[in-house]
Amino acid sequence: MGSTWRRRAWPAAPLVLALLAATGCDSGTTDAAPKPTSAPSGSVARVCAKPPAGPAKAPAGAVTVDPAVPGDLAAKTESSPPHTTFWLRPGKHTLLSDRYDQVTPKEGDVYLGAPGAVLDGRGSNQYAFGGTAPDVTIRYLTVQGFAAPRDEGVVNHDSADGWVVEHATIRKNSGAGLMAGARQQVRASCLRDNGQYGMNAYKGGGALRDLVVEGNEIVGNNTDDWERKRPDCGCTGGVKFWAVNGADVRGNWVHDNRGTGLWADTNNNDFLIENNLIEDNDGAALIYEISYNAVVRNNTIRRNNWVEGRAYAAAGDTFPFATVYVSESGGDPRVRARTDRIDIYRNVLEDNWSGITLWENADRFCNSPANTSSGDCTLLVKNTQRCVQPAIAKAPLYSDCRWKTQRVDIHDNRFVLDKSVLHCTVKCDRMAVLSNYGTYPDWSPYQGERVAEAITEQQHNRWHDNVYVGPWTFVVHDASRTVGFKQWRGAPYRQDAGSTLRAGDGG
């Protein structure tokens, strides 16, 4: 999970209210702006309001499932051969009463919901679809009311490979609505109001490769507010990705989630995040953390991070909490991907709580007690125990034992900020590239300002050819150093060549 600076527990509500005025924020606006009631025009994935209907009649050769018979779907799945198509009649389908009762598909099974077909866990069954059978398809089905434990999921509970989930509605479940396996495709589906995640892309003990998340509406997840229950858990989001190698995340509408919209955490690589609308999430729109090589392009990102950013500011935290947060992540040509950098371009960021922060924790590296992803090491070092003195103080381990925020290229974006929209005067207007002062453990070779100097001036992190509208400021080297646009562009930082700033236009 993220550094403790990023994922600190929210202050209690009375403290927030008491400190808002001191931070230049309007105490009458702690609930942020009114939420939009419908998606804007365009190609955004408006899925949840009116999901497409499934087939009104059973396809030829399909097994018909009767909602009047409890457990009929699981029983008929068990008694049928692989590659069977099941058609669920209109109505509410249920499982048997044991909490572990679930549907266990066979390879190649297909599940089709008729108009109005719902599989309901009634708040007692934990899982809807589980097992390890590959290449299962679920279409036009609503799955709701299941009670998965924290960090577990309801659909594809065991992260089987090759599943296709299309035109499905997965809503009001505990835990994650959906887990993910390799080659999984999630398209045109509604992942809504689930207790922890809309989807938790995690596969224990196996490779999770080639994931497609396209054209979905991902809204209102983390209803159980896990960051309050388990401070610093880093265990929430519209979608959370863990150790995914190759993901296309495109054309989704990610909005109104409690916490982060999209969060890639721990040794992800080769992401393409494009053409998404990410808006009105309480936390960051996107976190890319201790991961590698990504393209983030052509996204519209607006009104994110108002709740979390405001709460941290009210508590007096000086860290530049931003709506796009790149934490110990960067490009590396040695890790095979479609790009050898993190390339962030042609995005529009409008009226978010701050912009883009590039951060590297000097104390977080393989074998360090400050590595909150305990037990994990970089993709460049297979044996974590190699990262000790004296070897870690010399090449190649000095470089390879830490996740580095490097080769991040931020260009041709439009950053718009109107503080009157956010009802804030300070701490909501920042771009940043920074680290902390390295202090521990006592054998760390990264103590002092070494990492701060590296991320700021030596690791090829560049802003250029951007357009800024509004009163932007820039944090460099460490959280105490804020500079204006002219100094940001001058020596020694030399950022934003070819960019323009119209400070008075944003309000």
Side-chain angles (χ1 to χ4, degrees):
M1 55 153 288
S3 69
T4 54
W5 274 11
R6 183 60 184 86
R7 304 309 306 170
R8 188 174 302 160
W10 291 358
L15 176 61
V16 175
L17 295 172
L19 294 177
L20 283 173
T23 62
C25 301
D26 186 343
S27 63
T29 59
T30 55
D31 291 331
K35 304 297 187 182
T37 56
S38 62
S41 60
S43 59
V44 68
R46 287 178 278 189
V47 178
C48 295
K50 190 175 181 181
K57 296 182 179 180
V63 173
T64 297
V65 182
D66 188 351
V69 180
D72 195 40
L73 179 60
K76 287 178 175 174
T77 296
E78 184 177 5
S79 63
S80 299
H83 302 281
T84 296
T85 294
F86 301 90
W87 179 71
L88 285 74
R89 289 183 181 273
K92 185 177 290 187
H93 298 254
T94 59
L95 303 174
L96 297 180
S97 59
D98 187 272
R99 63 176 178 169
Y100 297 113
D101 283 328
Q102 60 190 282
V103 181
T104 307
K106 298 182 174 71
E107 180 178 357
D109 282 350
V110 176
Y111 297 87
L112 301 176
V118 175
L119 180 60
D120 195 321
R122 298 169 295 173
S124 57
N125 301 115
Q126 291 191 347
Y127 317 119
F129 293 92
T132 59
D135 304 326
V136 171
T137 297
I138 299 172
R139 290 191 175 105
Y140 304 109
L141 182 63
T142 293
V143 180
Q144 67 183 31
F146 286 82
R150 182 175 68 92
D151 297 331
E152 297 186 41
V154 169
V155 175
N156 197 9
H157 169 260
D158 298 294
S159 301
D161 295 339
W163 284 38
V164 175
V165 178
E166 290 183 326
H167 305 298
T169 297
I170 304 174
R171 67 185 184 192
K172 297 183 178 180
N173 303 285
S174 299
L178 176 63
M179 300 296 286
R183 299 179 289 103
Q184 181 157 301
Q185 301 177 40
V186 184
R187 288 193 166 98
S189 291
C190 172
L191 309 180
R192 180 168 199 162
D193 297 333
N194 295 290
Q196 188 177 7
Y197 305 107
M199 182 172 73
N200 185 14
Y202 172 79
K203 186 177 177 70
L208 208 175
R209 306 179 64 94
D210 303 326
L211 177 64
V212 175
V213 182
E214 183 173 19
N216 305 284
E217 185 173 352
I218 303 164
V219 53
N221 296 290
N222 187 28
T223 59
D224 292 334
D225 202 359
W226 277 103
E227 296 292 345
R228 279 192 185 273
K229 292 181 177 180
R230 298 176 63 90
D232 299 338
C233 73
C235 61
T236 58
V239 180
K240 190 77 182 277
F241 304 88
W242 307 86
V244 176
N245 190 0
D248 291 351
V249 183
R250 63 166 65 93
N252 303 284
W253 185 21
V254 185
H255 65 103
D256 295 285
N257 294 285
R258 176 178 282 161
T260 302
L262 302 174
W263 189 346
D265 187 353
T266 309
N267 287 338
N268 297 277
N269 176 52
D270 194 16
F271 271 53
L272 174 61
I273 302 171
E274 65 177 356
N275 299 322
N276 301 285
L277 175 59
I278 310 176
E279 61 182 354
D280 296 302
N281 297 287
D282 287 356
L286 170 65
I287 298 177
Y288 205 71
E289 181 176 0
I290 58 171
S291 294
Y292 298 84
N293 301 323
V295 173
V296 181
R297 67 187 181 195
N298 298 328
N299 301 284
T300 298
I301 299 171
R302 57 196 185 192
R303 299 185 304 272
N304 297 282
N305 202 31
W306 287 23
V307 174
E308 290 191 12
R310 195 183 306 276
Y312 284 118
D317 199 318
T318 61
F319 188 81
F321 298 100
T323 197
V324 175
Y325 181 57
V326 179
S327 175
E328 294 100 7
S329 295
D332 197 310
R334 294 171 294 174
V335 181
R336 186 175 178 179
R338 290 166 284 190
T339 180
D340 61 2
R341 64 190 64 212
I342 294 181
D343 202 2
I344 303 173
Y345 65 97
R346 292 204 305 263
N347 303 284
V348 176
L349 284 80
E350 181 175 355
D351 291 331
N352 301 284
W353 190 279
S354 289
I356 298 176
T357 286
L358 309 186
W359 158 254
E360 190 170 324
N361 184 346
D363 299 324
R364 186 183 193 185
F365 54 90
C366 303
N367 242 356
S368 168
N371 177 19
T372 50
S373 296
S374 57
D376 288 297
C377 196
T378 69
L379 293 179
L380 304 172
V381 179
K382 296 186 181 299
N383 182 0
T384 304
Q385 300 308 312
R386 293 176 61 204
C387 297
V388 294
Q389 289 284 12
I392 193 174
K394 302 176 182 178
L397 293 181
Y398 179 83
S399 176
D400 293 350
C401 285
R402 67 184 174 100
W403 293 273
K404 294 197 294 185
T405 302
Q406 63 177 5
R407 300 172 62 86
V408 182
D409 198 6
I410 301 168
H411 62 99
D412 296 288
N413 303 284
R414 181 177 176 85
F415 301 106
V416 179
L417 176 65
D418 186 339
K419 289 185 176 180
S420 68
V421 173
L422 276 72
H423 301 282
C424 187
T425 58
V426 295
K427 296 184 181 180
C428 57
D429 56 359
R430 295 180 287 180
M431 296 282 168
V433 52
L434 77 163
S435 180
N436 56 321
Y437 191 89
T439 58
Y440 70 99
D442 57 8
W443 52 269
S444 168
Y446 312 116
Q447 294 187 24
E449 297 185 355
R450 295 178 182 181
V451 176
E453 292 168 354
I455 189 176
T456 306
E457 301 180 31
Q458 301 164 14
Q459 293 180 182
H460 308 288
N461 297 311
R462 296 181 64 230
W463 278 257
H464 62 95
D465 298 296
N466 299 294
V467 173
Y468 295 90
V469 179
W472 290 94
T473 59
F474 304 87
V475 179
V476 291
H477 188 274
D478 62 79
S480 69
R481 192 177 304 183
T482 300
V483 301
F485 191 56
K486 183 177 180 180
Q487 189 175 353
W488 170 251
R489 298 183 73 189
Y493 312 119
R494 301 190 185 282
Q495 293 290 357
D496 265 318
S499 298
T500 60
L501 170 67
R502 300 199 303 273
D505 292 352

